Amino acid sequence: MIIEIRKTGFTNKGAQLMLYAILEKLQTEFPEAKFTMGPTGSNGSAPYLDRAKLGFYQKASLWRHGIQFGKLFQLIPKKLREMYGVIIDNEVDVVIDSAGFEYSDLWGAQRCCELASASKTFKKNGAKLIMLPQAFGPFTSSTIKKAINEAVKNSQLVFPRDKTSYENLVGVTGEQQKISIAPDFTNLIEGLKPNEFDTENCKVAVIPNYRMLDKVGGLEKDNYLPFLIKCVNYLVKKGAKPFLLIHESRSDLKIAKRINEEVGNKLPVVEEPNPLILKGMLSMCEATLGGRFHGLVSALSQGVPSLATGWSHKYQMLFEDYGIPEGVIDIQEDDRVLYEKLELILGKQSKTRLKEKIAQRTIILKQETEAMWNKVISSIRDNTAE
């Protein structure tokens, strides 16, 4: 059996966590399976060396202008392709789509149209397409709606990871048995605690996200940096020992450096390329103020009291999943409300209440993730039986 994993990558830490979570589960359940992956992933890339280290066969995939030029590899004799470990579309049995958040008006029509086109090919070749928990929508463009309808029609299972994503999706496709809500599945994967981490001076992780500058506009965009500086100054004043944790890109690091300059370069700035170690670091923190979705999942799923800023519905939905919708901060809040929110993760009693709520919900969400995997594994086994 050949399983293709698509729309993950190695630059985006969230995509990388999803990739590791998929491999951890499916390699255990299907030790005989071969895994393949194309060179490009979600919000970044999946270079050859990174894929090779994980034992992936190389997928002949090259999308340009909505056309899959990877089909040209079908002209190469199979024996020659096998010599170089290259897999083509009609050899794939199962396709796992783990886009995270790509199919939405916010990203334009191209990604949805590519998904629709690829889904037709998968179905024609008899491969099952399974779309793991991810955010969907909103969908207002007629082109995107048509593409999403096509992709769902050609899928075996589709898992929106929150209520809003579900409503966005079924608003286009109608309710279907194959569509069901399941939480972000990186909540099951274990982090790796670092050998060296300054827990004395790194107690509250502040995780910036440059998407708050390029995906929002107006006052919200203008207020993001002043907002973070205000939060950091308050945390310092309270003796909370904040530090700046880079969970994604160089652009996030630029924001962190600007914040640090404004507060007199008082804060540790922590970078770590391994997302599993990042998750381990977060488990050692007392609290998190985050802008990166999977940084927040990593914190919450390990019982760490957290607050968030966000640029899409997925942040509010995540905090509702964990029973603390009040944990999402509007960056235009007045100072009184802002400081009350920060006290949720600083005050002894309020922090204890948050931990209790998060712990209760974590058990349920992990059970829901296991139930999702049971459906996926059952579907793949059915495919094998056929």
Side-chain angles (χ1 to χ4, degrees):
M1 177 170 57
I2 296 176
I3 300 174
E4 177 183 352
I5 300 175
R6 71 191 304 269
K7 294 297 181 180
T8 58
F10 294 87
T11 301
N12 180 304
K13 299 298 189 297
Q16 207 170 346
L17 277 172
M18 289 189 286
L19 174 59
Y20 292 158
I22 294 166
L23 288 176
E24 181 179 82
K25 180 61 70 172
L26 296 187
Q27 285 179 337
T28 300
E29 294 289 338
F30 305 102
E32 79 292 349
K34 296 177 182 178
F35 289 83
T36 186
M37 185 180 187
T40 58
S42 171
N43 297 322
S45 63
Y48 169 78
L49 287 178
D50 288 327
R51 288 177 282 138
K53 286 176 185 176
L54 294 178
F56 277 104
Y57 285 73
Q58 309 309 311
K59 178 70 188 303
S61 178
L62 180 64
W63 283 97
R64 289 292 183 272
H65 308 294
I67 300 171
Q68 175 56 285
F69 288 97
K71 292 180 180 179
L72 295 174
F73 280 80
Q74 295 175 9
L75 302 175
I76 300 174
K78 184 174 182 178
K79 284 188 177 181
L80 186 58
R81 284 189 282 102
E82 287 178 340
M83 286 174 59
Y84 291 94
V86 176
I87 301 293
I88 58 175
D89 274 333
N90 61 18
E91 295 171 325
V92 173
D93 299 295
V94 177
V95 181
I96 302 293
D97 184 291
S98 181
F101 186 36
E102 285 210 358
Y103 309 127
S104 165
D105 288 343
L106 291 169
W107 300 105
Q110 182 177 342
R111 301 180 192 196
C112 294
C113 291
E114 285 181 357
L115 172 66
S117 177
S119 74
K120 289 181 185 178
T121 301
F122 301 147
K123 188 170 184 179
K124 178 182 176 183
N125 292 334
K128 286 187 175 179
L129 172 61
I130 297 171
M131 301 184 72
L132 290 186
Q134 53 190 282
F136 290 100
F139 305 119
T140 57
S141 156
S142 58
T143 300
I144 291 177
K145 286 181 178 180
K146 182 179 178 182
I148 289 298
N149 254 318
E150 183 67 32
V152 171
K153 182 181 77 173
N154 297 327
S155 297
Q156 187 73 18
L157 294 169
V158 183
F159 295 100
R161 69 183 175 203
D162 59 72
K163 181 177 65 176
T164 298
S165 293
Y166 177 83
E167 291 171 352
N168 287 339
L169 196 59
V170 301
V172 173
T173 66
E175 292 187 356
Q176 301 182 39
Q177 190 172 0
K178 69 173 74 173
I179 303 173
S180 58
I181 298 175
D184 182 85
F185 57 93
T186 63
N187 60 1
L188 293 183
I189 195 167
E190 294 290 331
L192 300 173
K193 290 187 178 180
N195 293 326
E196 296 182 6
F197 181 54
D198 185 3
T199 54
E200 182 59 34
N201 293 302
C202 297
K203 294 186 176 181
V204 178
V206 178
I207 306 174
N209 184 353
Y210 84 99
R211 291 294 183 199
M212 290 294 294
L213 299 179
D214 77 345
K215 284 297 177 184
V216 300
L219 289 175
E220 195 171 10
K221 175 181 178 179
D222 294 340
N223 287 340
Y224 184 55
L225 275 171
F227 162 83
L228 285 179
I229 292 164
K230 192 184 298 181
C231 290
V232 165
N233 278 326
Y234 188 80
L235 293 170
V236 170
K237 178 182 175 182
K238 288 287 187 172
K241 299 293 181 70
F243 70 105
L244 294 158
L245 181 63
I246 310 307
H247 199 274
E248 296 294 345
S249 68
R250 288 287 166 185
S251 297
D252 289 359
L253 179 60
K254 289 178 182 177
I255 293 175
K257 287 180 176 178
R258 288 179 64 185
I259 294 167
N260 217 8
E261 288 171 3
E262 291 292 331
V263 299
N265 293 310
K266 298 175 183 176
L267 305 184
V269 179
V270 177
E271 292 184 85
E272 170 52 56
N274 187 330
L276 297 176
I277 294 178
L278 280 173
K279 185 166 185 175
M281 285 180 181
L282 285 166
S283 74
M284 301 166 75
C285 293
E286 293 185 3
T288 300
L289 170 61
R292 283 291 178 179
F293 181 84
H294 278 101
L296 290 161
V297 174
S298 290
L300 290 166
S301 64
Q302 298 179 105
V304 179
S306 302
L307 301 174
T309 59
W311 55 274
S312 80
H313 69 270
K314 62 182 183 177
Y315 293 89
Q316 187 66 52
M317 292 297 99
L318 175 66
F319 275 68
E320 288 191 14
D321 277 349
Y322 278 91
I324 50 170
E326 68 274 19
V328 178
I329 304 175
D330 181 345
I331 66 174
Q332 298 182 67
E333 300 273 23
D334 63 46
D335 289 357
R336 180 186 61 81
V337 176
L338 171 60
Y339 297 147
E340 285 177 357
K341 293 260 187 176
L342 290 172
E343 284 297 329
L344 291 174
I345 60 171
L346 296 177
K348 186 175 180 179
Q349 291 183 343
S350 58
K351 188 157 61 171
T352 298
R353 284 194 296 270
L354 281 185
K355 284 184 174 182
E356 289 172 352
K357 287 182 180 180
I358 293 167
Q360 291 169 2
R361 289 298 301 162
T362 295
I363 293 170
I364 295 169
L365 292 169
K366 288 185 176 181
Q367 289 172 343
E368 290 176 357
T369 298
E370 291 287 9
M372 179 277 296
W373 277 123
N374 288 339
K375 288 183 182 180
V376 170
I377 291 161
S378 177
S379 178
I380 293 175
R381 291 199 194 285
D382 288 345
N383 188 71
T384 306
E386 292 170 5

